[in-house]
Each structure stands twice: as structure tokens, then as C-alpha cells.
Amino acid sequence: DITLSEGERVDPGRQGSVKKRIPMMSSDLNAMAYGAFVAERTLEMMPEDEPQEAVYDWLLNILAACGEKNPRIVALAAGWQLLPLAGVGPKYDVCAHCRTAIEGNAFFDAAEGGALCPVCAESIQHKRPYPEAVRGFLQLLAELDFGNPPSFHVKKDELLGAESLLLYTIDELIGKRLKSVSFLSQMGI
């Protein structure tokens, strides 16, 4: 918790206090790397100079979960949960164009608003495959409560598919590759 004074180029801090300590973030490189990914995404997607207390509290819970749970899954879930908090939440189970329920395998396009049925996807150039198993996993992640997370198992293809769609969505929405993504890639995690 910090109080800032408005400055010309930098807002200097007047006072501050630690709201929550997260010991694993300083001793576990994986937790720190995935936490940096979540923090950088949050910084890029939320408007500057606007109080975001709910997002800040959400971020504290996410960072704590990175130190307690599998940080890769936590960061992935946080990535999907941040989209609606930033006002750009994609459609997961209905077509973003015609609003029909998505059944079976479909397509996904971040710029078009998420899931696309095969008919609407025909005219979209940059669509991505959106398998049914990935769709179910994304819905689980989007609704995951970090205060009381359920036990679940995920298959490799579902995890990689959800990660690939998230990175593609981030790139489309903010127009650049995050530095933390490059760092995670260099670390091989």
C-alpha cells in the first residue's frame, strides 16, 4: 500500500506499507517468473492513473497463489481472468458473431471477440483452432477461485492449447510481445 505525490515526470512515494508478504516469490524462480508475467500483463491492460482496488486485490491473490500452487497454471488462469477485468473478455461457448452455442471443435479469434462457429469463421483470416477440450479448460480457468481452488487434472494438449491462445490474444490486444514471455521462454519454462 503506497501513497504517491504527483510529480513532473515521476510520482514520488510519500509512504508505504506491505499488505501481504509472499515469501515464495523471492525464493522460487518459477513463481517469480510467472508472477512477473501476470504483473506485466496487468500493467499493460489496465488504464493508467485510475484506481483499480479490486484488480490490485485480485493481483495479490494471484501472486500468493503463484507461490503456493503450480505457477504455470495460476499464471494461465490469471491471464484469462484479466481479460474481462480489462473490459475485453472473449466469448468462450457462444459464437462472437452470431451468438449460437459452440459445439464440437470451432475457431477462436481475439480481434473478433473469441469463439467462432465454423460458418462465421469461414471469412476470418487469422482464426485459430479452438478444440472442445481447450474450450472446457478455458472455462474452468476463467472461473477459478484462487481462494478455494478445486482439484483438477489437465492434459498436455489442453494446457498448450490454452497457453497458445492466451499468448496470441495478448499479442493481438496489446500489439506487442511481453518481456516476461521472452524471459519465460529463455528459462525453458
Side-chain angles (χ1 to χ4, degrees):
D1 201 5
I2 188 165
T3 304
L4 301 172
S5 298
E6 194 169 327
E8 265 185 52
R9 293 187 318 197
V10 176
D11 294 340
R14 288 191 295 156
Q15 68 181 45
S17 64
V18 175
K19 285 182 84 168
K20 188 176 200 174
R21 288 202 173 280
I22 307 170
M24 290 299 290
M25 294 304 274
S26 62
S27 62
D28 181 341
L29 186 58
N30 285 346
M32 187 272 313
Y34 283 109
F37 168 73
V38 174
E40 184 181 15
R41 275 213 58 233
T42 304
L43 184 63
E44 288 289 338
M45 296 199 70
M46 300 310 292
E48 277 189 44
D49 299 328
E50 289 183 26
Q52 299 287 338
E53 191 170 332
V55 174
Y56 179 77
D57 291 339
W58 169 83
L59 184 58
L60 280 178
N61 288 334
I62 297 297
L63 294 176
C66 275
E68 298 167 2
K69 306 289 183 196
N70 180 325
R72 184 176 183 176
I73 300 290
V74 171
L76 182 60
W80 288 107
Q81 289 180 6
L82 182 60
L83 295 173
L85 291 173
V88 292
K91 302 285 185 211
Y92 295 111
D93 57 354
V94 297
C95 179
H97 282 200
C98 68
R99 306 286 190 249
T100 59
I102 299 292
E103 295 180 14
N105 293 334
F107 297 93
F108 191 94
D109 189 281
E112 297 295 325
L116 297 169
C117 70
V119 173
C120 292
E122 284 180 19
S123 63
I124 307 299
Q125 282 187 320
H126 302 290
K127 62 188 176 262
R128 301 289 172 105
Y130 188 43
E132 188 172 3
V134 171
R135 184 170 61 256
F137 183 49
L138 288 186
Q139 289 172 317
L140 172 84
L141 293 175
E143 299 169 3
L144 193 63
D145 174 9
F146 288 98
N148 189 23
S151 243
F152 63 89
H153 297 283
V154 61
K155 294 180 181 172
K156 180 180 178 181
D157 290 343
E158 294 167 2
L159 176 66
L160 295 176
E163 285 177 335
S164 174
L165 281 178
L166 179 63
L167 294 177
Y168 152 73
T169 300
I170 294 167
D171 289 350
E172 285 291 312
L173 294 176
I174 64 173
K176 65 180 180 180
R177 180 56 52 117
L178 298 174
K179 293 176 184 174
S180 55
V181 172
S182 298
F183 180 68
L184 286 166
S185 179
Q186 288 174 353
M187 288 181 51
I189 56 176

